[in-house]
Amino acid sequence: MKALTKYLKYKFDQDPYLRRVFVTGELSNVKHHTNGHLYFALKDGHSVIRGVMFKSSAGKLLFEPEEGQKVLIQGRISIFEMNGQYQIYADDIQIDGIGQLFEQLEKDKKELAGKGYFDSEHKKVIPRYPQHIAIVSSATSAAVKDMITTFERRYPLVRLTLIDTLVQGSGSMQDVLTNLKKADSLGADVILLARGGGSIEDLWTFNEKEVAMAVFNTRTPVVTGVGHETDTTLVDYISDLRAPTPTAAAELTVPFHHDIVEKLRETELKLTRNQIQAIQYRKQALLSLSNYYKFKTPALLYDQQTERLMVQKDRLAGNFNRHFREHAYTLNQMKSNIGHLSPMPAINNGGKQLAGLREDLDDAMRMVNQNLRQKLFNRLEILDSLSPSAVLKRGYSYTVKDGGVVKNAGDLREGETITSHFHKGNIISKVIEVNEDE
């Protein structure tokens, strides 16, 4: 049994997921031992786990653990060998309020992962030799001083722009968002978002979904170095490169200048060696050519070529003259044939016929136009004789009541107002008497 328990404890201690856990629940069986250790049980609606907090950590608590308190515990899971029971060894206990934040964090993490924001295809490439780095962090922090020292030691050529940022507490989230946007507008090669270690509350700004999305939406590659090696925040999942600490972030962002110098030396040696080999190869080729018999008697190099050139020149001239004569004869034959087949006589005859037809057409159009104009004048006279305005000119008028024309006297009543229209103008009158007799 002892060997089995010891083996299980070893497996628990080696599991990275059990080395640092966060558990929420209700305290019970709380016991403050005289030696300063704190013993307790943590339960929820489903299970119970025993726990212990040693004096070194219990003395740092800012509250007095009591029965029934809802708390958030940070610690590790292991097995107590004496009774073979697994339990939590607490490093920190806090009144549960941050537990809801952790639930929201897990929801945000799951949502962003489901949408692919953590995928490598969205990661921007970190330049190998950045010239300008924007640091978004607290200017007075030790982490910033360590990063600047690291940059000066590893790659003094880089230009640094430090944007002093509130990285914890009230207003820190908005300050980080504002300064990320500012850093992205500088045209830097890399943005380094960093802060030193601290409690989970101190680091919580970097677990905010808004901050993570701001990191994702930057055009400039972002390297994060938040907290210690065991701290992993939401921005670490979404950034283009995550470093375990601010100092490590500085080291990952720039190369080591000694490595560059060494590589340049190696390249120089390789180029020198290649040049020497090339020169030796060409020197050997030159020596071989210098012993060639034709180079010792230069006339041999061009005698035959000169003779061949003359033959080719004469042949070319003969072929040109022969082809020229053949094409000239063919061209003359074609000119003669084209003269017999010329369409110009037919075109001239057709032009004369077309001119005659055009005159006939003009005469016919004039006659049709005159006939149509006379018909139009006749119909206009008829329309004018039938026009109401022509009737009014002869002394007639028409009477209107309520917008309608009065056709019968019987349609009117005494006292009604009527309007009579004449060729020029109208009058408004009132009916005094109505006679329906014709």
Side-chain angles (χ1 to χ4, degrees):
M1 291 292 292
K2 182 178 179 180
L4 177 60
T5 303
K6 194 176 186 71
Y7 175 76
L8 291 175
K9 174 176 170 56
Y10 170 78
K11 298 297 286 185
F12 270 60
D13 293 341
Q14 293 300 311
D15 191 330
Y17 295 103
L18 299 179
R19 292 178 186 174
R20 188 164 185 258
V21 297
F22 294 89
V23 185
T24 61
E26 181 180 314
L27 289 176
S28 65
N29 296 327
V30 179
K31 295 179 182 180
H32 297 273
H33 201 276
T34 55
N35 58 15
H37 302 330
L38 176 67
Y39 298 92
F40 58 89
L42 189 68
K43 63 180 181 178
D44 57 15
H46 305 284
S47 57
V48 179
I49 183 174
R50 294 194 177 276
V52 59
M53 189 176 201
F54 296 125
K55 179 180 178 179
S56 57
S57 298
K60 298 177 183 179
L61 292 178
L62 302 178
F63 72 102
E64 188 72 17
E66 297 178 356
E67 195 84 12
Q69 287 178 330
K70 295 195 68 175
V71 295
L72 169 68
I73 297 179
Q74 174 187 330
R76 62 185 177 86
I77 304 296
S78 186
I79 292 180
F80 185 48
E81 290 188 53
M82 290 188 65
N83 58 13
Q85 185 175 30
Y86 83 93
Q87 58 187 17
I88 183 169
Y89 291 83
D91 297 322
D92 185 34
I93 302 178
Q94 299 178 20
I95 298 294
D96 189 16
I98 198 170
Q100 295 180 353
L101 294 177
F102 271 103
E103 289 185 16
Q104 185 60 45
L105 174 61
E106 289 302 318
K107 290 181 181 178
D108 292 342
K109 190 187 300 182
K110 185 176 181 180
E111 176 189 350
L112 296 178
K115 292 181 178 179
Y117 287 110
F118 300 163
D119 295 349
S120 58
E121 63 188 50
H122 295 301
K123 305 294 184 183
K124 295 179 281 294
V125 178
I126 307 300
R128 189 173 183 180
Y129 302 104
Q131 299 179 16
H132 182 197
I133 295 177
I135 302 176
V136 179
S137 188
S138 173
T140 59
S141 65
V144 166
K145 295 177 182 177
D146 291 341
M147 285 190 291
I148 293 176
T149 301
T150 302
F151 284 126
E152 292 175 347
R153 174 177 55 84
R154 288 181 60 85
Y155 197 62
L157 296 176
V158 71
R159 178 165 65 94
L160 302 177
T161 299
L162 176 59
I163 304 176
D164 189 15
T165 305
L166 188 64
V167 293
Q168 70 181 62
S170 177
S172 60
M173 182 181 78
Q174 187 57 47
D175 203 32
V176 171
L177 293 175
T178 300
N179 289 338
L180 274 174
K181 187 175 181 180
K182 179 179 179 181
D184 199 27
S185 67
L186 295 177
D189 298 305
V190 180
I191 295 174
L192 206 164
L193 178 62
R195 69 146 289 152
S199 66
I200 191 64
E201 296 94 333
D202 295 338
L203 303 179
W204 199 261
T205 296
F206 301 92
N207 280 322
E208 297 289 353
K209 181 179 178 182
E210 291 84 350
V211 176
M213 291 308 301
V215 170
F216 181 82
N217 290 322
T218 56
R219 298 185 302 274
T220 310
V222 177
V223 178
T224 54
V226 179
H228 298 301
E229 293 188 15
T230 56
D231 297 317
T232 303
T233 60
L234 191 59
V235 295
D236 291 320
Y237 290 103
I238 212 165
S239 65
D240 301 300
L241 178 63
R242 183 255 175 182
T245 63
T247 303
E251 292 177 348
L252 291 175
T253 306
V254 295
F256 192 26
H257 71 93
H258 287 306
D259 295 338
I260 298 175
V261 172
E262 186 62 29
K263 189 170 183 179
L264 287 174
R265 288 174 180 170
E266 293 177 359
T267 303
E268 182 183 14
L269 290 174
K270 183 177 180 180
L271 288 174
T272 303
R273 185 169 56 252
N274 291 340
Q275 288 296 324
I276 292 173
Q277 291 176 352
I279 291 172
Q280 290 176 347
Y281 173 78
R282 284 168 174 75
K283 184 177 180 181
Q284 184 64 37
L286 181 60
L287 289 174
S288 299
L289 290 173
S290 64
N291 294 324
Y292 188 49
Y293 75 98
K294 286 189 176 181
F295 286 125
K296 294 180 179 180
T297 308
L300 296 176
L301 292 172
Y302 57 84
D303 282 350
Q304 292 185 1
Q305 283 75 7
T306 302
E307 184 178 359
R308 186 179 301 169
L309 178 62
M310 294 176 63
V311 172
Q312 294 292 339
K313 182 179 178 181
D314 293 341
R315 185 178 297 172
L316 178 62
N319 289 336
F320 176 79
N321 292 332
R322 180 171 55 80
H323 285 291
F324 180 79
R325 288 193 299 271
E326 290 177 355
H327 283 86
Y329 176 78
T330 303
L331 180 62
N332 291 330
Q333 288 293 109
M334 293 176 66
K335 285 182 178 179
S336 177
N337 294 334
I338 289 173
H340 295 298
L341 299 175
S342 176
M344 290 306 300
I347 291 174
N348 293 332
N349 186 34
K352 294 178 181 179
Q353 293 180 1
L354 180 62
L357 291 173
R358 183 181 290 112
E359 292 179 0
D360 295 342
L361 179 62
D362 290 341
D363 293 340
M365 288 299 296
R366 280 194 294 271
M367 291 297 297
V368 171
N369 190 23
Q370 289 176 359
N371 292 335
L372 291 176
R373 184 177 295 178
Q374 186 62 43
K375 288 182 181 180
L376 177 62
F377 287 155
N378 294 339
R379 290 177 181 177
L380 286 175
E381 289 179 357
I382 296 172
L383 285 174
D384 187 57
S385 65
L386 298 176
S387 170
S389 61
V391 176
L392 293 177
K393 287 181 181 180
R394 295 199 296 269
Y396 292 95
S397 66
Y398 67 91
T399 301
V400 176
K401 183 192 77 169
D402 298 332
V405 177
V406 179
K407 298 181 179 179
N408 300 313
D411 295 336
L412 301 176
R413 299 290 183 270
E414 292 183 7
E416 289 183 331
T417 299
I418 59 176
T419 303
S420 298
H421 294 269
F422 301 91
H423 175 60
K424 290 185 179 181
N426 60 68
I427 61 172
I428 299 173
S429 56
K430 184 175 290 185
V431 178
I432 299 175
E433 182 179 351
V434 177
N435 295 315
E436 297 187 33
D437 294 339
E438 195 64 34

mmCIF file of all heavy atoms in Angstrom, residues 380-400:
data_model
loop_
_atom_site.group_PDB
_atom_site.id
_atom_site.type_symbol
_atom_site.label_atom_id
_atom_site.label_comp_id
_atom_site.label_asym_id
_atom_site.label_seq_id
_atom_site.Cartn_x
_atom_site.Cartn_y
_atom_site.Cartn_z
ATOM 1 N N LEU A 380 -57.584 71.980 -89.991
ATOM 2 C CA LEU A 380 -57.478 73.028 -88.968
ATOM 3 C C LEU A 380 -58.643 74.000 -89.062
ATOM 4 O O LEU A 380 -59.171 74.478 -88.058
ATOM 5 C CB LEU A 380 -56.147 73.782 -89.113
ATOM 6 C CG LEU A 380 -54.904 73.034 -88.651
ATOM 7 C CD1 LEU A 380 -53.641 73.837 -88.968
ATOM 8 C CD2 LEU A 380 -54.969 72.750 -87.150
ATOM 9 N N GLU A 381 -59.087 74.335 -90.321
ATOM 10 C CA GLU A 381 -60.231 75.230 -90.500
ATOM 11 C C GLU A 381 -61.495 74.596 -89.938
ATOM 12 O O GLU A 381 -62.310 75.258 -89.303
ATOM 13 C CB GLU A 381 -60.392 75.542 -91.988
ATOM 14 C CG GLU A 381 -59.290 76.460 -92.524
ATOM 15 C CD GLU A 381 -59.455 76.726 -94.014
ATOM 16 O OE1 GLU A 381 -60.385 76.157 -94.612
ATOM 17 O OE2 GLU A 381 -58.650 77.498 -94.586
ATOM 18 N N ILE A 382 -61.625 73.250 -90.182
ATOM 19 C CA ILE A 382 -62.808 72.558 -89.645
ATOM 20 C C ILE A 382 -62.792 72.566 -88.131
ATOM 21 O O ILE A 382 -63.803 72.842 -87.478
ATOM 22 C CB ILE A 382 -62.874 71.116 -90.200
ATOM 23 C CG1 ILE A 382 -63.076 71.129 -91.707
ATOM 24 C CG2 ILE A 382 -63.970 70.315 -89.505
ATOM 25 C CD1 ILE A 382 -62.953 69.759 -92.362
ATOM 26 N N LEU A 383 -61.625 72.280 -87.560
ATOM 27 C CA LEU A 383 -61.511 72.270 -86.093
ATOM 28 C C LEU A 383 -61.782 73.648 -85.509
ATOM 29 O O LEU A 383 -62.430 73.786 -84.466
ATOM 30 C CB LEU A 383 -60.113 71.800 -85.685
ATOM 31 C CG LEU A 383 -59.823 70.315 -85.823
ATOM 32 C CD1 LEU A 383 -58.339 70.023 -85.514
ATOM 33 C CD2 LEU A 383 -60.711 69.498 -84.883
ATOM 34 N N ASP A 384 -61.308 74.680 -86.215
ATOM 35 C CA ASP A 384 -61.522 76.034 -85.709
ATOM 36 C C ASP A 384 -62.988 76.399 -85.731
ATOM 37 O O ASP A 384 -63.487 77.069 -84.814
ATOM 38 C CB ASP A 384 -60.702 77.014 -86.561
ATOM 39 C CG ASP A 384 -60.756 78.421 -85.975
ATOM 40 O OD1 ASP A 384 -60.366 78.562 -84.787
ATOM 41 O OD2 ASP A 384 -61.159 79.355 -86.683
ATOM 42 N N SER A 385 -63.719 75.927 -86.764
ATOM 43 C CA SER A 385 -65.159 76.246 -86.830
ATOM 44 C C SER A 385 -65.931 75.522 -85.733
ATOM 45 O O SER A 385 -66.977 75.985 -85.294
ATOM 46 C CB SER A 385 -65.711 75.850 -88.210
ATOM 47 O OG SER A 385 -65.636 74.433 -88.379
ATOM 48 N N LEU A 386 -65.411 74.362 -85.284
ATOM 49 C CA LEU A 386 -66.087 73.609 -84.225
ATOM 50 C C LEU A 386 -65.577 73.967 -82.845
ATOM 51 O O LEU A 386 -66.078 73.442 -81.845
ATOM 52 C CB LEU A 386 -65.880 72.103 -84.459
ATOM 53 C CG LEU A 386 -66.465 71.543 -85.760
ATOM 54 C CD1 LEU A 386 -66.088 70.076 -85.886
ATOM 55 C CD2 LEU A 386 -67.976 71.723 -85.790
ATOM 56 N N SER A 387 -64.599 74.818 -82.725
ATOM 57 C CA SER A 387 -64.003 75.135 -81.429
ATOM 58 C C SER A 387 -64.962 75.929 -80.569
ATOM 59 O O SER A 387 -65.659 76.828 -81.056
ATOM 60 C CB SER A 387 -62.713 75.947 -81.651
ATOM 61 O OG SER A 387 -62.240 76.450 -80.435
ATOM 62 N N PRO A 388 -65.078 75.642 -79.280
ATOM 63 C CA PRO A 388 -65.931 76.423 -78.351
ATOM 64 C C PRO A 388 -65.534 77.892 -78.328
ATOM 65 O O PRO A 388 -66.396 78.759 -78.196
ATOM 66 C CB PRO A 388 -65.665 75.768 -77.000
ATOM 67 C CG PRO A 388 -65.226 74.377 -77.333
ATOM 68 C CD PRO A 388 -64.466 74.489 -78.598
ATOM 69 N N SER A 389 -64.253 78.183 -78.477
ATOM 70 C CA SER A 389 -63.837 79.594 -78.457
ATOM 71 C C SER A 389 -64.399 80.333 -79.660
ATOM 72 O O SER A 389 -64.742 81.523 -79.581
ATOM 73 C CB SER A 389 -62.316 79.676 -78.434
ATOM 74 O OG SER A 389 -61.780 79.072 -79.597
ATOM 75 N N ALA A 390 -64.537 79.622 -80.811
ATOM 76 C CA ALA A 390 -65.135 80.271 -81.984
ATOM 77 C C ALA A 390 -66.610 80.581 -81.747
ATOM 78 O O ALA A 390 -67.127 81.618 -82.175
ATOM 79 C CB ALA A 390 -64.956 79.376 -83.210
ATOM 80 N N VAL A 391 -67.266 79.650 -81.062
ATOM 81 C CA VAL A 391 -68.698 79.885 -80.728
ATOM 82 C C VAL A 391 -68.821 81.090 -79.819
ATOM 83 O O VAL A 391 -69.713 81.935 -79.969
ATOM 84 C CB VAL A 391 -69.295 78.627 -80.071
ATOM 85 C CG1 VAL A 391 -70.727 78.886 -79.628
ATOM 86 C CG2 VAL A 391 -69.250 77.458 -81.054
ATOM 87 N N LEU A 392 -67.930 81.189 -78.818
ATOM 88 C CA LEU A 392 -67.979 82.331 -77.892
ATOM 89 C C LEU A 392 -67.718 83.633 -78.626
ATOM 90 O O LEU A 392 -68.275 84.682 -78.256
ATOM 91 C CB LEU A 392 -66.946 82.133 -76.779
ATOM 92 C CG LEU A 392 -67.214 80.977 -75.801
ATOM 93 C CD1 LEU A 392 -66.071 80.866 -74.800
ATOM 94 C CD2 LEU A 392 -68.536 81.187 -75.067
ATOM 95 N N LYS A 393 -66.859 83.601 -79.645
ATOM 96 C CA LYS A 393 -66.602 84.818 -80.421
ATOM 97 C C LYS A 393 -67.847 85.325 -81.113
ATOM 98 O O LYS A 393 -67.983 86.527 -81.386
ATOM 99 C CB LYS A 393 -65.508 84.540 -81.459
ATOM 100 C CG LYS A 393 -64.123 84.410 -80.877
ATOM 101 C CD LYS A 393 -63.111 84.158 -81.981
ATOM 102 C CE LYS A 393 -61.713 84.007 -81.424
ATOM 103 N NZ LYS A 393 -60.714 83.758 -82.484
ATOM 104 N N ARG A 394 -68.780 84.421 -81.429
ATOM 105 C CA ARG A 394 -70.006 84.833 -82.114
ATOM 106 C C ARG A 394 -71.045 85.378 -81.162
ATOM 107 O O ARG A 394 -72.182 85.623 -81.545
ATOM 108 C CB ARG A 394 -70.566 83.641 -82.896
ATOM 109 C CG ARG A 394 -69.648 83.177 -84.031
ATOM 110 C CD ARG A 394 -70.397 82.328 -85.055
ATOM 111 N NE ARG A 394 -70.879 81.090 -84.471
ATOM 112 C CZ ARG A 394 -70.165 79.968 -84.483
ATOM 113 N NH1 ARG A 394 -68.956 79.944 -85.040
ATOM 114 N NH2 ARG A 394 -70.660 78.880 -83.949
ATOM 115 N N GLY A 395 -70.732 85.540 -79.877
ATOM 116 C CA GLY A 395 -71.653 86.159 -78.927
ATOM 117 C C GLY A 395 -72.289 85.211 -77.966
ATOM 118 O O GLY A 395 -73.107 85.608 -77.142
ATOM 119 N N TYR A 396 -71.944 83.932 -78.014
ATOM 120 C CA TYR A 396 -72.524 82.980 -77.085
ATOM 121 C C TYR A 396 -71.726 82.948 -75.793
ATOM 122 O O TYR A 396 -70.570 83.401 -75.727
ATOM 123 C CB TYR A 396 -72.560 81.583 -77.709
ATOM 124 C CG TYR A 396 -73.542 81.467 -78.877
ATOM 125 C CD1 TYR A 396 -73.102 81.641 -80.199
ATOM 126 C CD2 TYR A 396 -74.894 81.183 -78.629
ATOM 127 C CE1 TYR A 396 -73.974 81.548 -81.255
ATOM 128 C CE2 TYR A 396 -75.760 81.079 -79.703
ATOM 129 C CZ TYR A 396 -75.313 81.265 -80.999
ATOM 130 O OH TYR A 396 -76.169 81.159 -82.033
ATOM 131 N N SER A 397 -72.333 82.362 -74.744
ATOM 132 C CA SER A 397 -71.661 82.184 -73.443
ATOM 133 C C SER A 397 -72.121 80.860 -72.848
ATOM 134 O O SER A 397 -73.074 80.247 -73.346
ATOM 135 C CB SER A 397 -71.989 83.341 -72.488
ATOM 136 O OG SER A 397 -73.367 83.330 -72.157
ATOM 137 N N TYR A 398 -71.445 80.403 -71.756
ATOM 138 C CA TYR A 398 -71.890 79.205 -71.035
ATOM 139 C C TYR A 398 -71.800 79.471 -69.553
ATOM 140 O O TYR A 398 -70.994 80.280 -69.081
ATOM 141 C CB TYR A 398 -71.074 77.972 -71.434
ATOM 142 C CG TYR A 398 -69.641 78.002 -71.025
ATOM 143 C CD1 TYR A 398 -69.242 77.462 -69.794
ATOM 144 C CD2 TYR A 398 -68.691 78.566 -71.861
ATOM 145 C CE1 TYR A 398 -67.909 77.509 -69.441
ATOM 146 C CE2 TYR A 398 -67.373 78.616 -71.495
ATOM 147 C CZ TYR A 398 -66.957 78.070 -70.268
ATOM 148 O OH TYR A 398 -65.653 78.118 -69.901
ATOM 149 N N THR A 399 -72.731 78.813 -68.827
ATOM 150 C CA THR A 399 -72.887 79.077 -67.385
ATOM 151 C C THR A 399 -72.406 77.866 -66.588
ATOM 152 O O THR A 399 -72.657 76.721 -66.969
ATOM 153 C CB THR A 399 -74.357 79.365 -67.040
ATOM 154 O OG1 THR A 399 -74.770 80.507 -67.814
ATOM 155 C CG2 THR A 399 -74.523 79.675 -65.556
ATOM 156 N N VAL A 400 -71.736 78.170 -65.469
ATOM 157 C CA VAL A 400 -71.147 77.129 -64.626
ATOM 158 C C VAL A 400 -71.648 77.290 -63.204
ATOM 159 O O VAL A 400 -71.741 78.407 -62.677
ATOM 160 C CB VAL A 400 -69.604 77.213 -64.643
ATOM 161 C CG1 VAL A 400 -69.019 76.185 -63.696
ATOM 162 C CG2 VAL A 400 -69.070 77.006 -66.044
#
